[in-house]
Amino acid sequence: MKASHRLINYAVRPAKAVERKIACDIIRNLEPFERVENYRYIGFGSIYFSDFQLFHQSLGISDMASVEKDISNWKRFEFNVPYGCIRLMPGHSNQVLPTLKWDKRCIVWLDYECKLDKKVLADIATFCSRARSGSMLFITLNAEPERILGESPEHQAISRLQVLRDAVGEDKVPRDVKGQELRGDDFAKVCRRIVLDEVAACLSDRSGPLPRQEKLGLSQIAFFLYADDAKMLTLAGVLLETRERALFENCAFSRLPFFRDGETPYVIKAPKFTQKELHYLNSVLPKDTSRCPEVSGIPASDVQDYALIYRYYPSYGEVLLG
Amino acid sequence: MPEPVTDLQRINASPTKEFFISMLVRDIPLSRAVIDLVDNSVDGARRLRDSGDFDGLWVRIEVHPTYFRIVDNCGGIPVALARDYAFRFGRPTGAPPDVGSIGQFGVGMKRTFFKLGRRFRVQSTTAISRFTVEIDVDEWITQQSAEGAEDWHFEFKTLEENISVPPEQQGTTIEIERLHESVAESFGMDLFLNRLSPEIALAHSLNLQRGLSVTLNSIPLEYDPMKLLRSEQLQPAFVDHLFDRFGPNPVRVKLYAGVSDRIKEEGGWYVFCNGRLVVKADQTNLTVWGEGERVPKYHPDFARFRGFAFFDCDDSSLLPWTTTKTGVDIDSPVYRAVRQEMIELTRPVLDFLRKVEDERKHREEGDITDTPLATALFTAQPFLVEDLSPSLTFQAPQPPPQPQGPRMQRIQYRKPEDQVEKAKELLGVSTFKEVGEKTFEYYLAYEGGDSES
């Protein structure tokens, strides 16, 4: 299998780019906990380091660690580190995360390409056992339902359930989940539930001997679905001690238009336009989306979708450098 | 108004003596029952020496087919403690915490009496008191109060209070006679003694390390102090925690994880409560093993792994041990939280040990000549865990990056010997490895087109 960075240039996936900028806005709201630039960012930078560049430039975060499992191409990763403040951590996240010190608040983006599995749950458990209150977790997962060619819908459902059980472990799949639910967006909802169950179990263990005021929970603030290629989900939340609830309220995440604290996702759609169309649309936005500008030939739904995320929409062009 | 309770409405739920004498004893192996009495002596030592320095204190255990005796100079049992708590079955709520004690549940000492024999005698002397209790179990069973109810009391045979006793006379002697047949049989076997001795030593290794001297039939117990390898490159993890929401007595937890000698049976986690080992070299999910992708199941490659968890609290009821002190109470909130931490500390050590194993294989296969990880292991020195300084995570050297090159795969197959020999001859090579390589290259050269690129 080819490494994913050889298949996709992360910077030019529009929905992903939009999500990254939305994440940036979400992170900015952490300010009531402490200056965002004092946070540590832990992510999977690959060779593009798109998230690292954005968060360093826009948020001023300079304590950054990129976990990189592809040790065989180490030199290339080192070469591409865009800023001196980014530490490269060799090894799989399962190996690296337990070696980190977790001595300050952090923003962790577990930006997987893969589907939910035991390794993902292990990283989540590490975050929940170690991270400090006020830390933020993003988890991105492939949420494309399994497709087994040539199987009847009935068998498809059975196979999907079995694949999920094998991937996360029999005991992690809620008993009321049926194979029929593991399709479309519902699969993402089941993944979200399994992730949050794991979070709850770990935090219950960790909180057991702590006084009531110090007990920990994860407050969900975002649940995105998007698809540049495969359907992906991103779940985000803030780890919180009971006594810091007021700080969390001050963050006012719920005022953000993409705030989601339940199982209904916010679907990021990044419709494709020409430069000319973009310029025109931008020139009339922001506007009440119900009265969106009419452009001949462009589907109204695309315009509606764009109106929601136009501030985050990436601009691409061919540039001659150097 | 509630109806008056008539006799017909009452259900008898009172305990029977028989339950304590015949049933409770089944929960504990004989050797562990003996260790319960050593715990009793250690509790005396703790009352006597707050500092934890037990130098000069001793416990002498005598195990014979006809009697069992344990004698100590650990300060004796205060009369008030004996009168109200030490001989009661179970510890009443409101009992003053016996500071940092090992005896907590109010079962250990009595359970051992009943487990071993039908007659016991306890003689104990403190600086200001002296008492003797002598019980014939068969008589005690039939003992009834004036109203004909079961009478559970023991009585002091002798009792002196407000006296002054010189230190050399202070201590406790417990003797048990009329041993049960199977107990007498075990006590007569060398094999039992050979096993009991290291078991006591291990359970109390920390107390032996603190200077307590324990002999079994006059032979001093030997112990191996707990050590982890350390060097500039290799640093065991050591973290401590204080859980203080349970009232005036916080639970202190110290966790160590690192590497030591390669002994398969000794790899794993060791759990201590108030200095008493309750879980030895655990290799199961009771501690950390087989926890999804976080920690794999125990494997001989991890034989060098050692983890030590010390739980200490003046109120020993807050510690996560079971009444037999042979396991941990996995539902204890403190243990559940600490276990998560143990899992986190374990993983980096295992990753290092795996890399050491990979390095060994690569060396054997001739892929590398340098073995920096093995060198780091062999040049590190063993350190007593209590001398280690805090280090949030396990530190170990990383293997040098593998030389860049194509990812390699191994092919293995079997063919009749005469055919292989023939190929060897035709190819003009001397090893089977070369036969494999040359025939593969030959095939690709003719059939593989531009596969060399």
Side-chain angles (χ1 to χ4, degrees), chain A residues 148-161:
Chain A
I148 297 110
L149 287 175
E151 280 206 348
S152 66
E154 196 179 313
H155 279 104
Q156 187 93 271
I158 295 169
S159 303
R160 280 180 179 157
L161 190 57

Side-chain angles (χ1 to χ4, degrees), chain B residues 183-254:
Chain B
V183 173
E185 227 169 73
S186 295
F187 282 5
M189 286 194 286
D190 278 339
L191 190 64
F192 176 79
L193 295 180
N194 295 346
R195 286 180 181 163
L196 177 62
S197 167
E199 212 173 325
I200 301 173
L202 197 59
H204 282 290
S205 53
L206 211 58
N207 296 312
L208 295 170
Q209 211 166 310
R210 288 169 180 162
L212 183 72
S213 145
V214 181
T215 59
L216 176 60
N217 290 356
S218 307
I219 302 171
L221 298 189
E222 288 171 11
Y223 72 100
D224 244 345
M226 282 150 297
K227 289 179 177 173
L228 288 171
L229 292 176
R230 195 187 78 174
S231 68
E232 219 162 272
Q233 290 181 294
L234 211 58
Q235 202 71 243
F238 164 33
V239 294
D240 52 4
H241 287 291
L242 199 73
F243 295 103
D244 55 5
R245 81 146 176 164
F246 304 104
N249 300 301
V251 180
R252 294 176 302 275
V253 181
K254 286 184 179 173

